[in-house]
């Protein structure tokens, strides 16, 4: 199965509080349609010291986003695009499937 979005892709958020923001995919959860994007969907976690000498404070980290909330940005046309899947006759590492941009037709990988 070919995922439409992979680690390292540049995406734009299309819904939610980070709508319109761009970032690079840092992690995709296999089989769960969830991913993590650099600097997107930041949650703040308050840390309370549980032992003496431990620092309290706020830690910011990215939380998982649903894959349906982002769209890939095509590296050729620079637009957010729908990803198509092409099936090739000859086999490749991805099982003969390639992703391509539905806007300009550019093969992504
Ligand atoms: Zn394109």
């Amino acid at each position: 199965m070919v995922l439409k979005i992979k680690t390292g892709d540049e995406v734009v958020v299309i819904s939610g509080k980070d709508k319109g923001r761009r970032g690079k995919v840092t992690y995709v959860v296999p089989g769960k349609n969830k991913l993590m994007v650099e600097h997107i969907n930041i949650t703040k976690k308050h840390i309370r010291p549980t032992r003496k000498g431990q620092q309290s404070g706020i830690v910011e980290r990215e939380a998982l986003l649903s894959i349906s909330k982002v769209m890939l940005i095509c590296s050729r046309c620079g637009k957010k695009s729908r990803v198509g899947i092409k099936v090739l006759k000859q086999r490749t590492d991805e099982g003969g499937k390639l992703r391509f941009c539905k806007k300009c037709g550019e093969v992504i990988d």
Side-chain angles (χ1 to χ4, degrees):
M1 146 115 198
V2 177
L3 287 172
K4 293 199 170 181
I5 293 179
K6 294 179 180 178
T7 305
D9 285 345
E10 204 187 345
V11 295
V12 61
V13 182
I14 53 168
S15 71
K17 66 181 165 103
D18 288 316
K19 189 177 174 180
R21 296 187 63 196
R22 292 175 173 214
K24 201 170 243 182
V25 177
T26 53
Y27 180 63
V28 178
V29 185
K32 284 214 163 150
N33 291 324
K34 288 197 181 269
L35 45 75
M36 218 176 258
V37 185
E38 238 175 20
H39 311 305
I40 302 291
N41 206 24
I42 299 289
T43 54
K44 286 179 181 169
K45 202 175 174 189
H46 293 261
I47 306 288
R48 266 168 216 268
T50 50
R51 270 175 291 150
K52 238 187 179 171
Q54 220 172 14
Q55 292 253 318
S56 65
I58 300 166
V59 173
E60 292 190 350
R61 48 176 289 184
E62 288 111 352
L64 289 171
L65 263 178
S66 168
I67 235 167
S68 64
K69 283 192 172 175
V70 302
M71 277 180 95
L72 186 75
I73 295 169
C74 172
S75 54
R76 185 179 169 196
C77 64
K79 292 182 178 135
K80 59 184 178 195
S81 66
R82 293 175 60 127
V83 179
I85 305 288
K86 235 177 223 174
V87 182
L88 302 175
K89 290 219 170 84
Q90 69 267 49
R91 299 211 124 241
T92 65
D93 291 347
E94 300 280 0
K97 287 173 186 162
L98 280 179
R99 300 186 301 163
F100 70 97
C101 168
K102 282 189 178 173
K103 275 230 166 76
C104 66
E106 176 78 355
V107 170
I108 299 158
D109 57 26

